[in-house]
Amino acid sequence: MKDKENKQLDNITEIGSDLTSSKLGNIYTLTIIGQIEGHQVLPETVKTTKYEHILPLLAMIEESEEIDGLLLLLNTVGGDIEAGLAIAEMISGMKKPTVSLVLGGGHSIGIPLAVCTKHSYITPTASMTVHPVRMTGLVVGAPQTYRYFQRIQEQIADFVTNNSRITRKMFEHYMMATGEMATDVGTILYGKEAVSSGLIDELGGLSDALAYLHHMIEQEKGKQGR
C-alpha cells in the first residue's frame, strides 16, 4: 500500500498525473501545463509538458484493464506544434472515454489538445488564443518556407474542425483576425465565447467534467456487459 502511494506521489510530482478509483470507475487524470516541449529542450526555469513522457503513458492508459477513462486538464501557453499534434492525435484515437477541461488557458497548439477528447469543457474565466502558425529564430526566407507554414496551418485547422463543432470558416476567421490583440494577429476566446463558437462543447468545471466522464464510463460498461 505504501509503495502504491509513493508511486502515485511520484507521478504527480514528475508528470502531473494520478489514478483515482471509486465505485463509479477508475479515472486517470493527466495535466498539460506550461509549454509543450518538443525536440528542443527548454530551460529549467520554464514549466513544460514533455511529449516523450506523455505518448507512452497514453498507450498504457488505452491498454490498461484497470483504467476506465481519461480526464485531461489543460493550462498551457502552447509550444511545439508537432509534439502537441502528436499528443492530440493519440488521445483522439483512443477508444476509452476521454474528457478535457480547460483551466486558465488552452492557447495556440493547446487548442487541438482541448478538442481531441470525446467531450470538452472550459471554465468561464479560461481563455484560448487562436492565431496563425509562426516560428521564432532563424528562418530561411524562401517561398517554400511560407508554403510549409501554410500546410501546417491547414493540418491544425483540419484537426480542430474535425474534432469540434466549429466551422473551418469561423476558425480561420478567428485565426487571421486583426485588431483583436494589440501586438499580434488572432483572437482570444473566453469560456462562453469558446462554447458559443463551437470550439468547446460545454461551459463547466471539475465536477461537470467528472460527471460526464462517469456517464461515459457507465455507458461503456453497459455495452461490454460489465
Side-chain angles (χ1 to χ4, degrees):
M1 186 67 179
K2 193 69 175 177
D3 290 340
K4 185 177 180 180
E5 289 178 357
N6 289 336
K7 186 177 180 180
Q8 285 182 309
L9 287 173
D10 288 341
N11 285 340
I12 294 172
T13 303
E14 293 297 323
I15 54 176
S17 66
D18 190 28
L19 175 64
T20 55
S21 300
S22 71
K23 61 181 180 181
L24 299 175
N26 301 328
I27 293 176
Y28 200 99
T29 302
L30 180 63
T31 56
I32 305 292
I33 57 136
Q35 194 161 339
I36 299 163
E37 188 178 88
H39 305 304
Q40 302 294 323
V41 178
L42 295 172
E44 292 184 1
T45 53
V46 178
K47 286 185 178 294
T48 62
T49 296
K50 300 179 185 296
Y51 80 103
E52 68 269 27
H53 292 170
I54 304 299
L55 297 184
L57 184 59
L58 291 172
M60 181 276 293
I61 294 169
E62 177 73 348
E63 281 292 289
S64 175
E65 295 181 356
E66 298 179 358
I67 299 173
D68 299 309
L70 171 67
L71 174 64
L72 190 68
L73 303 179
L74 292 108
N75 188 9
T76 176
V77 295
D80 187 277
I81 293 172
E82 289 185 354
L85 279 178
I87 297 170
E89 288 282 11
M90 280 200 74
I91 296 173
S92 177
M94 293 175 70
K95 291 183 179 180
K96 285 189 175 177
T98 55
V99 171
S100 64
L101 174 60
V102 181
L103 302 155
H107 306 294
S108 190
I109 201 60
I111 292 173
L113 287 163
V115 304
C116 69
T117 53
K118 292 178 174 61
H119 202 76
S120 58
Y121 282 90
I122 186 170
T123 59
T125 57
S127 59
M128 305 179 79
T129 304
V130 187
H131 62 70
V133 172
R134 62 268 184 99
M135 187 178 294
T136 58
L138 182 64
V139 177
V140 177
Q144 290 85 346
T145 301
Y146 297 103
R147 175 57 182 154
Y148 172 68
F149 281 8
Q150 184 181 7
R151 292 184 69 185
I152 293 176
Q153 200 162 286
E154 289 171 356
Q155 294 298 317
I156 294 171
D158 284 344
F159 184 89
V160 171
T161 53
N162 287 336
N163 287 274
S164 69
R165 294 177 291 106
I166 195 169
T167 63
R168 190 184 185 93
K169 183 178 179 180
M170 181 64 76
F171 185 71
E172 290 181 344
H173 167 73
Y174 285 142
M175 187 182 286
M176 304 305 295
T178 57
E180 293 289 324
M181 295 190 285
T183 59
D184 204 350
V185 176
T187 306
I188 299 175
L189 299 174
Y190 289 92
K192 289 183 180 179
E193 296 170 296
V195 174
S196 63
S197 70
L199 189 59
I200 298 295
D201 292 320
E202 287 191 66
L203 197 69
L206 179 60
S207 60
D208 301 300
L210 285 170
Y212 197 94
L213 188 54
H214 285 308
H215 173 67
M216 292 176 68
I217 291 171
E218 185 180 1
Q219 286 187 320
E220 190 66 25
K221 287 181 177 180
K223 291 178 184 178
Q224 297 174 2
R226 290 160 62 185

